[in-house]
Amino acid sequence: MKIVVAIVSCALALGAFAQGTPKYLDFTAPLEERVEDALGRMTLEEKVKMLHAQSKFSSAGVPRLGIPELWCADGPHGIRGEVFWDNWDNAGWTNDSCTAFPALTCLAATWRPELAREYGRAIGEEARYRGKDVLLAPGVNMLRTPLNGRNFEYLGEDPLLASKMAVPYIEGVQSNNVAACLKHFALNNNELNRNTCDVHVSDRALFEIYLSAFKAGVVEGGAWAVMPSYNLFENRHACENPRLIKEILKGDWDFDGITVSDWGGVHNTDLVIDGGLDLEMGTGTDGLTANMNAYDTYHMANPYLERLRDGRASVEELDDHVRRVLRTIFRTSMAPSHWKGRFTCPEHYATARRIGAEGIVLLKNDGVLPIAENVRKVLLVGENAVKMLTIGGGSSSLKAQKEISPLQGLSEALQGKAEVAWERGYIGAGGVIYNNVKSRDFELLSERRDSAALVADAVEKARNADLVIFVGGLNKEEHQDCEDRDRLSLNLPYGQDALIEALADANPNIVVVNISGNPVAMPWAGKVAAIVQDWYLGSEAGNSLADVLTGTVNPSGKLPFTIPYRLEDTPTWGDGRRYPGIQRADSHISDIYYDEDILIGYRWYDTKKIPVQFPFGYGLSYTRFDIGTPTVSRTDSIYTFTMDVSNIGSLKGAETVQIYVSAPKVKGLVREAKKLAGFAKVDLLPGETRSVSIDVPVSVLAYYDEETASERIVPGKYVFSVGASSAELLHKINVRYDEK
Ligand code: BGC
């Protein structure tokens, strides 16, 4: 019977080919008609084959119909090197070394959505060139705890900022006929116990904080793919979670793309069928075993087929999944476009360099930056001045075509002007790979000196330098900024705090460049002359940093997260309920309670009046700005704030004007002291004044009302404050909101 069906459908397909182009191959036909046409030609077996992996990163297309495989790639900072069909090992290709773009934390720190579009366009071009249909990016989980090992792959602690950056990133990627895959949906805010923690969160925090950027990515950005995460929510794994996938994503948000499981995130056939997932990836150890194809054992392979055959699973739902996969293929590899993308080109490096420099945040400057003309001897101290930071960190690890280290970048920028030396200063975690200047020529830096000798040598040289630049921070090793583990402390690792203090004692002209994707404690902040928050900047890391330190680029980054003083000050601190959760007595699951509710990041510190080291939205420039008194006008749905912004210094630069809103108090309702309502970045020449307008939708006044399960605006007085960071808000404007 099966053979007869196959022969008949094969003959039908051939017949269709003989009579002319079948509709699904007609690139000019409307997408949905192509989808229906292809669906109608497929056998049950072919349909099921599309819904699970056939290799580490691909799913089968329909070979009989000439519908190609669907290829996914990490993400989010470059196109991951090829791994083997069946395992994670590097496949050893020689044509897959990509451009490494800056980490998403850096992109968020630019506060410039146009750059997110440029980023998305460029990385999408690299994906298209490499034949990837789904880019597993961007990551839009909120920074809930600074210990989360994956915050570097995300866009900070504010849902509005993350949304404003994610949407153009997605549009840029998809303009290349590559699907952006928003991840990790949802509530994957820690890596520790990521597969076994069940998140308990109020609906209000869920919708106001944690789902906001996902919603924007789907509804405004039109993302074609979403990746449900590893963790549980309401006692169901996210990949098997009908509330998240069916009700919210596909129902409320009308998402018509595919949900792709996080790799290995599916655990149970009946639950995943009920949950509404479309594509199962990475389950167990796969590959070819002695007598069968192990991919056939995936939950959404033979076990699903059996249930479809005996009526336990619905064919209607199967068809919905298949439609989504077909739609994705017709939007990507079978789209009506001949564009093949481009790869590792000067334009992409320029984009990486520009975004890198623009995201760097100057946190403190007692006048040592930009590096003065009379500086002759510069000493760099610290491993991150030479360590390859495109490698490591988990799935976002890259095989980069090149990576300019800070030592290289600064040496080149200061050539002929100053002598640049380097001292190691500390030894980081083992297994480290160093860049031996030429790309892909790695070496392990051997070290005979012990820690005390390393510090002593660095201090000794620091005494004789005109300027000391410490380049340290975290790295991509386990328990630093790295997937599958969380950090163990807010402080810098490897004795760096003591080293910085010793260096500062030896030479007050010291700049600390902290490279991390997370806030770190800075107990030495008062003792150093300048602090620069740097990020994982990818291929052009050293050049971007040199651009800022030498003043070629005037820093304009602003923090996408708060830097607290102590871990005890953070919203998840306590008896373990909030983080890392409480282990259930009878199972391997732990329960994690988001008791801080909507109060994450600056919402927490502001509301609880907890002093912080550096506030959200903060960042200095080498010039100075003045933000004039704003005026406000209103249409039915939008407030428009208009103000003059002036550059009152002597260098060209860019300022980000930020608007926050504080809502009237309501008994029994948690209110954040304020939240970000809008922002705009403006470029200004010295002495220039520009009028800047920022639109803020009236809906920003709303909170999520759990009783009515909808957004609600309480009538009353709302206070907008305008300024250069969440802590420098000079102008206040009161607005009354009355119900109509
Ligand atoms: C990560 C995802 C990634 C996937 C494929 C998982 O471990 O959580 O972000 O896209 O692997 O590499």
Side-chain angles (χ1 to χ4, degrees), residues 331-345:
R331 281 170 166 161
T332 57
S333 58
M334 288 181 82
S337 159
H338 297 293
W339 174 234
K340 296 281 181 247
R342 52 185 179 159
F343 197 53
T344 52
C345 49

Side-chain angles (χ1 to χ4, degrees), residues 57 74 80 136 150 183-184 227 230 262-263 395 483:
F57 278 99
D74 287 304
R80 183 175 179 162
L136 304 172
R150 281 191 102 169
K183 67 190 190 183
H184 305 88
M227 180 190 288
Y230 286 129
D262 201 344
W263 270 232
S395 57
E483 181 176 341

Side-chain angles (χ1 to χ4, degrees), residues 363-386:
L363 293 175
K364 176 177 179 182
N365 187 12
D366 286 352
V368 283
L369 291 177
I371 299 171
E373 288 295 321
N374 61 0
V375 168
R376 293 281 168 269
K377 282 173 87 175
V378 175
L379 175 69
L380 259 61
V381 181
E383 266 195 7
N384 284 352
V386 297

Side-chain angles (χ1 to χ4, degrees), residues 426-465:
Y426 65 88
I427 302 177
V432 284
I433 300 166
Y434 292 86
N435 184 358
N436 189 16
V437 184
K438 277 182 280 147
S439 59
R440 276 182 285 120
D441 189 3
F442 305 132
E443 66 175 23
L444 281 173
L445 208 65
S446 59
E447 186 59 71
R448 273 196 233 104
R449 295 170 292 180
D450 63 9
S451 298
L454 282 166
V455 174
D457 287 354
V459 165
E460 185 54 37
K461 286 204 184 144
R463 284 207 179 89
N464 301 316

